Amino acid sequence: QRPYQKFMLYKSFSQLQHKPCLVDLMINDTEGRRQTLVYASSTGFHGIDMETGNVRLIHAPSPVPRGGIHPHALIKIPHVTDELCELLLCYDNDGVYVDHQMN
């Protein structure tokens, strides 16, 4: 049996409006109840609630450049509170520091 045959599909998000070009981290609240998958697209940074499948915008530059953005890093900064996670989102020659609400 090949090693990759041992993996099971956990979740699938095939109908995303913005195509992911960088998927880098999972955010868990301190009790492990909520999980959010954070990804970047050519229009901004998004979060998917793993329980409900709801997608929300975390950050998008305004206006979005004509050719879109080129994300290159998603950096999680340790929790400030149970509901708040701080992120450093890097794209092109810019970076933005955001507070991401968990619920």
Side-chain angles (χ1 to χ4, degrees), residues 43 59-65 69 91:
T43 61
H59 173 76
S62 181
V64 175
I69 65 170
Y91 59 95

Side-chain angles (χ1 to χ4, degrees), residues 8-71:
M8 291 178 23
L9 179 65
Y10 175 65
K11 294 276 183 168
S12 176
F13 303 101
S14 58
Q15 301 299 322
L16 294 174
Q17 181 179 359
H18 304 285
K19 181 182 173 190
C21 56
L22 178 66
V23 178
D24 200 18
L25 61 109
M26 181 85 64
I27 301 169
N28 297 310
D29 67 4
T30 55
E31 297 173 8
R33 294 175 291 130
R34 294 289 254 203
Q35 294 180 335
T36 303
L37 178 73
V38 177
Y39 74 93
S41 71
S42 62
T43 61
F45 296 86
H46 316 272
I48 303 174
D49 184 310
M50 295 296 284
E51 187 175 308
T52 64
N54 293 334
V55 179
R56 65 181 145 173
L57 179 66
I58 295 174
H59 173 76
S62 181
V64 175
R66 177 167 243 172
I69 65 170
H70 299 91

